């Protein structure tokens, strides 16, 4: 069974940093692009960024580029999102998702982890 | 990048067909076939319905179909059922800079 489990969400002050993790199981992690998506409760989905199978190619959405960094450790079946210079509008549920080949579509999602940026 | 444009809401009666549009530009929807559609029920995780404009993942009902014309893609739900009441999002590759963008979302109501 494919599973993705996010962790690391927390309450953090504006300007602070946070690192999210996503541990996967049930598939060969190193074969897939992986993506982070976020959603403010009650609002729409926002694409955060993705990373290639070997970690050598990463792309980011405009609102997080330069502040967030995606990485992965294929030996640990883990995906990470390092978030720096956090702002109030970064508050959201963060999902990790597996991509369908190189299509940019996401066929499996985690349950999400909540990040709240507030003083 | 701006979100792709979707109607805020679409409604239909059981058994009817409805179509949700998703409009972008030549640098995203109009230029690439990396377009997907998701269904999200309240409090649930998004579910992939369509990828690469028209392809359905295994297990997705044939009542869901996708199409594209120019810079607009569409999701059609035929034989509308009560369980189809949910939020629907499109997503597309965007080239400047390389990234993906979601649509604004459409709430489907089954009357």
């Amino acid at each position: 069974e494919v599973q993705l489990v996010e962790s690391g969400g927390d309450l953090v002050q504006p300007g602070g940093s946070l690192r999210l993790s996503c541990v996967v199981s049930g598939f060969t992690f190193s074969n897939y692009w992986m993506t982070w998506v976020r959603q403010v409760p009650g609002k729409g989905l926002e694409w955060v960024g993705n990373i290639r199978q070997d970690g050598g190619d990463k792309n980011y959405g405009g609102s997080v580029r330069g502040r967030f960094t995606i990485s992965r450790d294929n030996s640990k079946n883990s995906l990470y999102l390092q978030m720096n210079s956090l702002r109030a509008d970064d508050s959201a549920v963060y999902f990790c998702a597996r991509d369908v080949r190189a299509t940019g579509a996401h066929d499996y999602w985690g349950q999400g982890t909540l990040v709240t940026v507030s003083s | 990048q701006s979100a792709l444009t979707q109607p805020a809401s679409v409604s239909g009666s059981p058994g009817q067909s409805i179509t949700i549009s998703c409009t972008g530009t030549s640098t995203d929807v109009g230029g690439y076939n990396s377009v997907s559609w998701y269904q999200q029920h309240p409090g649930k995780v998004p579910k992939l319905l369509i990828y690469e404009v028209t392809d359905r993942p295994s297990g997705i009902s044939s009542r869901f179909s996708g199409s594209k014309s120019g810079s607009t893609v569409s999701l059609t739900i035929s034989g509308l059922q009560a369980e189809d009441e949910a939020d629907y999002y499109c997503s597309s590759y965007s080239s400047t800079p390389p990234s993906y963008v979601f649509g604004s979302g459409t709430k489907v109501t089954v009357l």
Side-chain angles (χ1 to χ4, degrees), chain A residues 39-44, chain B residues 87 89:
Chain A
Q39 184 175 35
V40 175
K43 302 297 184 181
Chain B
D87 293 323
Y89 296 91

Side-chain angles (χ1 to χ4, degrees), chain A residues 2-94:
Chain A
V2 172
Q3 288 193 321
L4 297 84
V5 180
E6 303 94 337
S7 62
D10 204 349
L11 171 63
V12 60
Q13 292 191 340
S17 297
L18 201 60
R19 188 197 199 204
L20 306 183
S21 299
C22 170
V23 178
V24 313
S25 59
F27 65 98
T28 305
F29 179 62
S30 59
N31 287 351
Y32 291 86
W33 280 81
M34 296 294 295
T35 293
W36 286 98
V37 174
R38 68 184 182 183
Q39 184 175 35
V40 175
K43 302 297 184 181
L45 300 171
E46 181 180 7
W47 189 85
V48 173
N50 67 0
I51 185 168
R52 197 173 66 192
Q53 291 94 325
D54 63 358
D57 188 12
K58 308 171 191 181
N59 301 288
Y60 299 94
S63 62
V64 308
R65 192 173 296 119
R67 298 187 300 123
F68 290 11
T69 302
I70 297 174
S71 62
R72 64 192 295 162
D73 185 337
N74 288 341
S75 69
K76 296 182 178 179
N77 285 347
S78 294
L79 174 72
Y80 305 103
L81 180 65
Q82 177 67 42
M83 303 185 294
N84 298 331
S85 302
L86 283 162
R87 312 184 304 221
D89 61 359
D90 293 319
S91 297
V93 176
Y94 285 73

Side-chain angles (χ1 to χ4, degrees), chain A residues 39 43-45 47 59 62 65 101 103-106 109-111, chain B residues 1 34 36 38 40 45-46 48 51-52 89 97-100 102:
Chain A
Q39 184 175 35
K43 302 297 184 181
L45 300 171
W47 189 85
N59 301 288
R65 192 173 296 119
R101 301 191 298 276
T103 66
H106 321 303
W109 297 62
Q111 289 301 309
Chain B
Q1 304 89 323
S34 294
S36 50
Y38 302 86
Q40 187 179 32
V45 169
L48 178 64
Y51 65 99
E52 292 196 306
Y89 296 91
S99 60
Y100 287 82
F102 280 99

Side-chain angles (χ1 to χ4, degrees), chain B residues 10 12 14 19 24 48 50 53-54 59 61 72 92 96 111:
Chain B
V10 173
T19 297
L48 178 64
I50 298 287
V53 180
T54 60
S61 171
T72 297
S92 172
T96 53
L111 302 172

